[in-house]
Amino acid sequence: MSTTPHSTTRVAHTVWDGSLTEGSGVVTLDSSGIGEYPVTWVARSQEPGGKTSPEELIAAAHSSCFSMALSAGLGKAGTPPTRLRTQADVTFKPGTGITGIHLTVQGEVPGMDEAEFVKAAEDAKANCPVSKALAGTEITLTATLA
């Protein structure tokens, strides 16, 4: 079994029917096969009403990527986490676009003080691949130990 890192490509697709404001779509996660998710402009620009949005999907991607990056960094420092809980809040303003992302992480990391944890979290925020992909958006962070 090879341990050499290799590139991966993940695939999702959306089928959209109708106009922006009256139409609707379905996002399918093809690579994993774990689901289809309805999307509408109303769900994106007002209340979700049981539907998702590009911003929610970005929040899911960012919170999971950041958690992996932070876990890796803490492990390399000899202080692997017991648990990390990361929330990503992606703000969308119709007519403007995505105006910011705020990451909030609470960690259980034995043997680490708050200042060390915040420093590790800032490094993960700057270097996780999703943060890098979203570099055109202001990303802020709140990091605390449990």
Side-chain angles (χ1 to χ4, degrees):
M1 176 174 239
S2 174
T3 58
T4 305
H6 60 280
S7 65
T8 59
T9 300
R10 299 295 182 251
V11 179
H13 78 274
T14 300
V15 175
W16 186 268
D17 295 311
S19 69
L20 173 63
T21 57
E22 304 292 322
S24 63
V26 175
V27 176
T28 301
L29 304 182
D30 297 308
S31 298
S32 64
I34 61 172
E36 295 183 341
Y37 303 93
V39 293
T40 65
W41 173 251
V42 171
R44 184 178 193 186
S45 61
Q46 296 172 32
E47 290 300 315
K51 297 172 180 69
T52 194
S53 67
E55 292 71 30
E56 185 176 36
L57 297 170
I58 289 170
H62 205 175
S63 66
S64 60
C65 182
F66 171 86
S67 294
M68 290 180 205
L70 181 53
S71 180
L74 292 169
K76 286 179 186 171
T79 52
T82 302
R83 170 172 277 184
L84 299 171
R85 184 190 186 287
T86 304
Q87 178 174 312
D89 298 325
V90 178
T91 302
F92 173 74
K93 182 176 180 183
T96 301
I98 295 173
T99 59
I101 300 170
H102 185 74
L103 298 170
T104 305
V105 62
Q106 184 178 60
E108 295 174 23
V109 188
M112 180 168 268
D113 69 30
E114 190 101 9
E116 293 171 315
F117 182 69
V118 169
K119 184 176 183 217
E122 287 288 351
D123 183 67
K125 178 187 79 137
N127 293 301
C128 94
V130 171
S131 288
K132 288 182 175 186
L134 301 172
T137 302
E138 180 182 13
I139 302 170
T140 56
L141 172 70
T142 301
T144 57
L145 287 173

